[in-house]
Amino acid sequence: MSVESLDSSNSPNGAASPKAALTSEPDSPKDVEERLQEEKRIRLKVDLRLCTIAGLLCSLNLLDSGIISSASVTSMLHDLGLDQGNRYSVSILIFTVASVCFQLPATLAVRILGPRIFFACITVSFGLITLCTAFIHTWKEMILMRVLLGISMSGIYPGLALLISSWYRREELQLRFAFLQCGEVIVLATGGIVNFGLNHLHGQGGLKGWQWMFLVQGLTACVIGVATFWWMVDFPERSDQSFHFLSKEEARIATARIQRDRGDVIPAPITTKEILRHFLDLKIYGFAASFFLLNLVSTSLSYFLPIILQSGMGFSTNKSILLSAPPYYYAVIPVVLSSLVGDKYRLRGPVIVFNSLCLIAGFIMLGFADHVTVRYVGTYLATGAYISNWAALNGYLASNITGQWKRAVTAAAVTACNGLGGVAGSFIVRQPEAPRYLTAIWVSIGSHIFIIGIVAAFSIFFYIANSKQIKGRKIIEETEGFRYTY
């Protein structure tokens, strides 16, 4: 549950005091209604402009996993020597390690360089590296490409999370993260179908099917990267400088509504001390651990689902590629529904717990059912649940952290641990354990039991802190009137 924060305060982070708000001239009901209608119109403009491009860019990470997972059931592993030992898992691991190492500086760069320049550059870089991967010949070259790809993509997730959380009030956030996930999974699912078609070009132009996958989707990413420079929007206080977006008056209104919610629109001057002090907040580590546990599952499913379908359920190469798409289309339904409930009733923890229980049920079906149809349905439940929890956890985090630099540090820290979860997740699907993959099943179930435990601990802590704030004995997040959402 949650309680709206009071209007801003003259606290150290720049909010207006409730006292000042009380002494100001109150708005008439007609003025309030007009203001709310104008804010709703501006919010729709932000949705149409920001959430669309953010969903596309967010899909790049899953697009990469979609390409390499689809290619893994073609001749690629044999052609590059990735079928020996753990080389395929290492190629996934090294991508994540490179990404984790660069996430904090990349996230800070979003604020310093501005979203338009930053996201355009890294998207074009992603496209060029993906395109070049089509022409490699050895597993060592694949490792090099994966390192470069990890570096180029290191700022996408944390940078977009920071930008989205800067534009919306706390009770609006989970649905917007759900929009990101919808765009992401639709692109991934469609990419699986596209890969199915591209694999049929095997031998055309002297290229193999997997080479066509990297070539076509690399070129597509380059085009998206060029468009990003004009499509992407800046942070609210600089949004009037975006290409054909908000006027100065609209930017002022958009900034004011966020300032009323949590009072942190304008960032404090950046210093090393300002960045490092936020690492003393233990909440960051709880959120980071949750994302680590979540990505254990998302990595194992997104990178290995075609392999599980082929080796674990007996489908052919092309059917494995094709059947890996529908669970992601299905995931749009639970992620939107759970986010609507979470934002409408300002619930975060209960939604995460429900999604976690659905995932556990899905993995039980996948690991212990005898009928292939039941096992395949289990992939739907598991995929829908972990994608829904990505939106829910991001909403949970963004609703309970204030301050521009603190959100940047938190976004980088949780994305880094999300990446480390990917490192672990790349090794839990073990080929010798086909068709049951019991290590992956038990690790995935256990990880979400731990997530439920973390949510329970947070709920107790937030309840106690809010009770103290109501009695005037505590200021939360250095912001007058702020209360945790749980």
Side-chain angles (χ1 to χ4, degrees), residues 233-246:
V233 303
D234 212 319
F235 286 93
E237 72 276 12
R238 301 197 301 257
S239 56
D240 59 303
Q241 300 172 21
S242 303
F243 184 73
H244 285 299
F245 185 39
L246 300 183

Side-chain angles (χ1 to χ4, degrees), residues 360-374:
I360 290 170
F363 269 96
I364 289 174
M365 293 168 67
L366 179 60
F368 303 109
D370 293 323
H371 201 284
V372 169
T373 302
V374 176

Side-chain angles (χ1 to χ4, degrees), residues 117-429:
I117 294 175
F118 179 82
F119 287 115
C121 289
I122 64 174
T123 305
V124 170
S125 298
F126 168 85
L128 289 173
I129 295 166
T130 301
L131 188 155
C132 290
T133 305
F135 302 102
I136 62 176
H137 298 94
T138 69
W139 69 274
K140 292 180 180 179
E141 292 171 345
M142 173 61 93
I143 296 297
L144 175 61
M145 290 295 103
R146 302 296 293 168
V147 170
L148 295 175
L149 203 63
I151 294 171
S152 72
M153 294 183 64
S154 59
I156 289 182
Y157 268 150
L160 289 173
L162 174 63
L163 184 60
I164 291 287
S165 65
S166 298
W167 268 103
Y168 294 99
R169 293 170 61 88
R170 286 176 290 153
E171 70 273 15
E172 301 165 349
L173 282 168
Q174 187 173 336
L175 184 60
R176 271 67 197 183
F177 284 118
F179 290 160
L180 259 68
Q181 283 299 90
C182 289
E184 187 175 18
V185 298
I186 288 172
V187 169
L188 174 63
T190 305
I193 296 172
V194 170
N195 289 333
F196 170 78
L198 292 174
N199 195 44
H200 282 78
L201 294 178
H202 184 83
Q204 299 294 318
L207 298 177
K208 299 183 178 180
W210 65 266
Q211 291 177 299
W212 279 108
M213 295 178 195
F214 284 102
L215 178 64
V216 171
Q217 296 184 61
L219 285 171
T220 303
C222 287
V223 173
I224 293 173
V226 173
T228 296
F229 181 76
W230 288 277
W231 195 347
M232 179 56 70
V233 303
D234 212 319
F235 286 93
E237 72 276 12
R238 301 197 301 257
S239 56
D240 59 303
Q241 300 172 21
S242 303
F243 184 73
H244 285 299
F245 185 39
L246 300 183
S247 66
K248 287 188 177 180
E249 177 60 19
E250 288 173 327
R252 184 195 65 77
I253 294 171
T255 301
R257 69 187 292 270
I258 303 304
Q259 188 72 5
R260 286 195 302 273
D261 182 53
R262 56 181 179 265
D264 68 349
V265 170
I266 307 300
I270 184 172
T271 63
T272 302
K273 182 179 179 181
E274 175 69 17
I275 297 300
L276 294 179
R277 76 182 183 92
H278 297 308
F279 285 102
L280 298 176
D281 188 342
L282 296 180
K283 291 198 303 296
I284 291 178
Y285 302 99
F287 288 128
S290 299
F291 276 87
F292 172 88
L293 295 166
L294 179 66
N295 206 33
L296 277 171
V297 176
S298 64
T299 298
S300 62
L301 277 178
S302 61
Y303 280 102
F304 292 95
L305 183 55
I307 293 176
I308 292 171
L309 291 170
Q310 184 184 54
S311 301
M313 300 186 195
F315 292 107
S316 66
T317 294
N318 283 325
K319 283 186 177 179
S320 296
I321 295 173
L322 200 57
L323 289 174
S324 64
Y328 290 99
Y329 284 122
Y330 157 77
V332 172
I333 299 171
V335 73
V336 171
L337 290 179
S338 64
S339 297
L340 283 170
V341 170
D343 279 351
K344 181 176 181 179
Y345 298 103
R346 297 174 193 169
L347 294 171
R348 296 293 183 251
V351 172
I352 295 169
V353 170
F354 175 78
N355 290 333
S356 298
L357 293 173
C358 289
L359 182 137
I360 290 170
F363 269 96
I364 289 174
M365 293 168 67
L366 179 60
F368 303 109
D370 293 323
H371 201 284
V372 169
T373 302
V374 176
R375 298 185 68 203
Y376 184 56
V377 170
T379 67
Y380 279 73
L381 270 180
T383 303
Y386 90 73
I387 288 173
S388 297
N389 256 355
W390 189 90
L393 280 170
N394 271 289
Y396 197 32
L397 181 159
S399 297
N400 293 302
I401 296 290
T402 65
Q404 293 282 349
W405 297 119
K406 186 171 185 179
R407 283 212 306 279
V409 167
T410 306
V414 300
T415 308
C417 284
N418 186 66
L420 293 174
V423 172
S426 65
F427 286 97
I428 65 174
V429 179

